[in-house]
Amino acid sequence: QVQLVESGGGSVEAGGSLRLSCAASGYTYSDHCVGWFRQAPGKEREGVAAILPRNGDTYYADSVKGRFTISQDSAKNTLYLQMNSLKPEDTAMYYCAADPSIRGFSGSWCYSRLGLRRYNYWGQGTQVTVSS
């Protein structure tokens, strides 16, 4: 049974930082894409970043490139999202997602599948609120 459990959200002022974590279980973690997407009220869901744990290949949305860093610890089956220089427009519910249905190829491929909503599993979400 695939499970994804996020933690680490909260409220910060603009320019601040937060680190999200996601503990994954129930599948072979390293071979499959994992990533983060977010959704703000009244807005479309947006893929934030994706990573292929097997080789650490990553890909980011343009809106977060240079500010957010996705990483993972294969020994712990845990995914992270370090968010720096946060902006009010980053306010959203953040979800960790996994795609264990197919073996991943690259970070960009993982991100494209995130955008296409091909990931079959995601966590309960964690709220990030950035005040101006």
Side-chain angles (χ1 to χ4, degrees):
Q1 181 181 358
V2 176
Q3 286 192 319
L4 300 165
V5 180
E6 302 105 334
S7 60
S11 298
V12 295
E13 293 185 350
S17 298
L18 283 172
R19 189 194 197 204
L20 307 183
S21 299
C22 172
S25 62
Y27 70 101
T28 305
Y29 174 79
S30 63
D31 282 343
H32 305 287
C33 301
V34 285
W36 296 91
F37 68 89
R38 64 188 181 186
Q39 186 153 27
K43 293 188 177 180
E44 288 289 317
R45 190 168 80 173
E46 178 187 19
V48 174
I51 187 169
L52 181 58
R54 183 175 69 249
N55 59 16
D57 197 21
T58 60
Y59 197 89
Y60 297 89
D62 287 342
S63 58
V64 306
K65 204 171 292 183
R67 299 188 298 122
F68 291 12
T69 301
I70 188 171
S71 63
Q72 56 86 31
D73 185 337
S74 292
K76 297 180 180 179
N77 284 9
T78 300
L79 179 69
Y80 304 99
L81 186 68
Q82 177 66 44
M83 304 184 293
N84 298 330
S85 302
L86 281 160
K87 304 175 181 179
E89 51 264 43
D90 294 318
T91 296
M93 186 72 81
Y94 283 71
Y95 298 87
C96 153
D99 187 15
S101 64
I102 188 169
R103 198 166 184 264
F105 288 101
S106 68
S108 60
W109 186 82
C110 289
Y111 183 79
S112 68
R113 286 182 63 82
L114 187 63
L116 292 170
R117 304 191 181 190
R118 298 289 172 83
Y119 286 43
N120 294 326
Y121 298 92
W122 52 90
Q124 80 284 358
T126 186
Q127 178 68 38
V128 172
T129 302
V130 185
S131 58
S132 56

